[in-house]
Amino acid sequence: MNKNQENYKKALDQITPSEELKQKTFRKATIKQQVKKPVFIKYLAACAVFAICLSGSAVYLKHKKPLTKKDQTTQTQVVAQKMNDLPRFENMEQVREALKENNNRSYEEKMLQNEVAMEDTIASSTTKEEARDYSETNVQVKGVDEADIVKTDGKYIYYVTKEKVYIIDSENLEIKSKMDYDTKNIYYPSELYINQNKMIVLGITYQDNQEPEDTVTSEAFTDCIYPRYYRNSQTKVIVYDISDKSNPKEDRTIIIDGEYNTSRMIEDNIYFVSSKDAYYYDLAKIEDDEIMPLIKDTANEDRKLKCTDIAYFEGTENKSFMTVAGFNINNKEKINTESFFGASENVYANKNNLYITQSEHKYVLGQEKTTSKIYKFNLEQTAINLQAQTEIKGYLNNQFSMDEYEGNLRVATTKGYDEKSNNQLYILDENLNEIGKIEDLAKGEKIYSVRFVGKIGYIVTFEQIDPLFVIDLSDPTNPEVKGELKIPGYSSYLHPYDETHIIGIGYNTKSNGYGGVVNDNMKMSMFDVSDVTNPKEMFSIDIGSGYTYSEVMYNHKALFYSKDKNLIGFPIETSGNSKKYYYNSSFRIYKIDLEKGFEEYGKIEANNDDEKKYIDSMKRAIYISDILYVLSDENIVTYNLNTLEKQKELEL
């Protein structure tokens, strides 16, 4: 037994799952961060669920026999599983049998999943005032950084756009250096971190594989249902020494097989999650080495994970290898990894623990049952130790649906769809055993946004109107809904303004003429929650006309916010048909005044003089002192933050 296994056994021997909690089932499916939230969710949602169905897979029992469908129905009730009860593959024959069994079953279940509604990732962004007064990326938990496409240290701007990474002198607005990745390497940087004299770039690269020559036939499905991707995606992390901003030097490169999911930075430690697809065109023709995830590290010897390194959860229906990795940016010690047979979706982390969710959906007697597995990892420097895993009803909306407070995890989920949907909130102790819950909240509706602030939780559900629920969580064994506010529309993101006020950003809605509702333009509301039994909408402002969209609706890092300056803003895209089709991209900033309400502070629009010219979408806005920087793929433009007078422009 290795050191990690001993740690797992010691910690998880103490877990005693309740019988009641064993009866829970769960579901959720999210699309990737870069996919925009649609106005009409149902159709694209079905496509997204189909994609997630492709990555679902089941696993093995301890005995060298794959789970049967009957076995799985029973096994999905397991909760708060002890690590010493968590089996690992003993040999490659077990891995292959698990893949073969699950590929066949996934095809049968996929045929039943034609119309499923699901949510994408919704969030927003804040900044923190420091001595030098500059923007920082909004994070869910203070002290736990999240990667984004732009960062600043108050002097330089670091920006990822169009497969390039720029380091820009903010004062002179000039490029100090540009990392233009060779397209032959097929590296797509997606976001980055800045830590003193280190820049950490995270993205995706691809490993070419020979395309199968055989034509896909029904006979080929005996071993596997889905064709294999022509290229295997890999997560690639590059650490740069940027002591000399004009000459960044690669300090370390790490590559792990699998799609990049998300990451966190805590002090000098980076943690990231990847998921390697494990379904194949013809499993019999795939070598063992190709199945197991590969880890490359310029600071250490490359290695293939062994089958005995990979744990699996009995009853899971996921066909991918999830790898959680941790390393320190200032040393060259071996990267720590833990790998599991199962995919990852939402991630929540504080300074001590990291939680990963995995949704599953099954059909039992013609009805879909949805469950969410939650895995809790303890973070010790760069070590990642699985502490417990459990299973609850429903699917999570996004990472804000989870929050740890005083050692307890609070989780909000939606179960079911359309008129059969309902919502619940669970409170789980440090071993992920249930200690409190609220069930059947807002029947016939689903969760659109969640925010936990200390001992209070805020949940927005929606179907026809927008109920904002205020929940008292001071007694974790007895959570109570204290107040409820119903208004037209809904909020996709909730942002705390102060202890007694919370901002909601979302949509107005209107009748579709058939008894239902559809999205209208955007709106932003200020809620007074000083009296938890009687929340009020103090004021609101309509945003845009016709079809209005903002990245802030699904990505919390797109919000410009300064509490000290009482400013809030986000990129906006509008389109529609009046006399002719139009499209406009702008960045809008609003003044917050609790007495006067929201007032438009300024609207910065993309140049639309030439109708034939491509309109570049605005991505972010940041500030350094009294200078506002508005970033797009094509340029960076500076404005005086006090007057919004244009100053300089840098073409990229």
Side-chain angles (χ1 to χ4, degrees), residues 550-565:
S550 174
E551 184 184 347
V552 76
M553 306 296 275
Y554 73 91
N555 183 5
H556 61 287
K557 302 165 189 176
L559 186 73
F560 172 87
Y561 180 74
S562 169
K563 179 65 169 61
D564 287 353
K565 293 176 172 56

Side-chain angles (χ1 to χ4, degrees), residues 95-103 278 280 283 291 319 341:
V95 176
R96 288 179 174 277
E97 284 300 317
L99 291 175
K100 180 178 178 180
E101 167 68 19
N102 294 300
N103 284 331
Y280 300 94
L283 186 60
I291 296 175
K319 282 195 301 296
F341 192 44

Side-chain angles (χ1 to χ4, degrees), residues 441-442 445 457-461 467-471 481 483-485:
L441 182 68
E445 299 182 352
Y458 304 95
I459 296 178
V460 170
T461 62
L468 168 68
F469 294 97
V470 182
I471 302 173
V481 176
E484 179 181 350
L485 173 66

Side-chain angles (χ1 to χ4, degrees), residues 574 584-588 603-608 616 618 639:
T574 58
N584 178 266
S585 176
S586 63
F587 202 97
R588 305 194 186 190
K603 180 169 67 173
I604 299 168
E605 295 187 281
N607 186 354
N608 195 20
D616 187 29
M618 297 184 177
Y639 301 83

Side-chain angles (χ1 to χ4, degrees), residues 390-516:
T390 193
E391 189 171 60
I392 57 177
K393 293 179 182 178
Y395 57 91
L396 282 69
N397 183 49
N398 57 33
Q399 70 185 63
F400 290 94
S401 295
M402 289 185 286
D403 175 80
E404 184 187 293
Y405 184 74
E406 295 183 345
N408 298 319
L409 181 69
R410 294 92 67 91
V411 190
T413 67
T414 296
K415 179 171 68 72
Y417 306 97
D418 300 325
E419 69 278 357
K420 294 182 180 180
S421 66
N422 58 65
N423 308 281
Q424 42 277 317
L425 183 145
Y426 297 106
I427 302 180
L428 311 176
D429 67 14
E430 61 182 3
N431 294 320
L432 298 188
N433 292 311
E434 179 192 300
I435 58 174
K437 67 179 177 180
I438 296 174
E439 292 193 306
D440 297 327
L441 182 68
K443 292 184 178 180
E445 299 182 352
K446 55 190 175 185
I447 291 175
Y448 272 72
S449 58
V450 181
R451 196 73 192 232
F452 295 99
V453 183
K455 296 181 180 181
I456 302 294
Y458 304 95
I459 296 178
V460 170
T461 62
F462 177 74
E463 188 60 36
Q464 299 285 340
I465 57 175
D466 173 1
L468 168 68
F469 294 97
V470 182
I471 302 173
D472 182 359
L473 302 169
S474 57
D475 180 358
T477 64
N478 186 34
E480 291 184 86
V481 176
K482 289 291 188 178
E484 179 181 350
L485 173 66
K486 293 186 177 182
I487 56 176
Y490 63 89
S491 299
S492 293
Y493 173 70
L494 296 173
H495 186 78
Y497 176 72
D498 59 25
E499 292 182 356
T500 57
H501 298 87
I502 192 164
I503 299 170
I505 302 173
Y507 282 107
N508 284 310
T509 55
K510 60 183 179 181
S511 171
N512 62 3
Y514 301 96

Side-chain angles (χ1 to χ4, degrees), residues 124-139 141-146 148 150-154 194 495 556-562 620-624:
S124 175
S125 154
T126 72
T127 56
K128 176 186 175 183
E129 300 293 292
E130 301 227 345
R132 300 186 63 182
D133 193 21
Y134 59 85
S135 298
E136 289 191 357
T137 304
N138 173 44
V139 294
V141 177
K142 183 179 179 180
V144 181
D145 199 6
E146 300 181 35
D148 194 18
V150 62
K151 298 279 186 178
T152 181
D153 55 15
I194 295 298
H495 186 78
H556 61 287
K557 302 165 189 176
L559 186 73
F560 172 87
Y561 180 74
S562 169
R620 296 285 190 275
I622 63 173
Y623 70 87
I624 300 174

Side-chain angles (χ1 to χ4, degrees), residues 76-103:
T76 52
Q77 308 303 316
V78 176
V79 296
Q81 189 171 358
K82 297 180 180 180
M83 190 59 199
N84 60 308
D85 290 334
L86 192 61
R88 293 181 184 266
F89 290 110
E90 296 178 7
N91 51 54
M92 285 304 300
E93 182 182 351
Q94 284 189 351
V95 176
R96 288 179 174 277
E97 284 300 317
L99 291 175
K100 180 178 178 180
E101 167 68 19
N102 294 300
N103 284 331

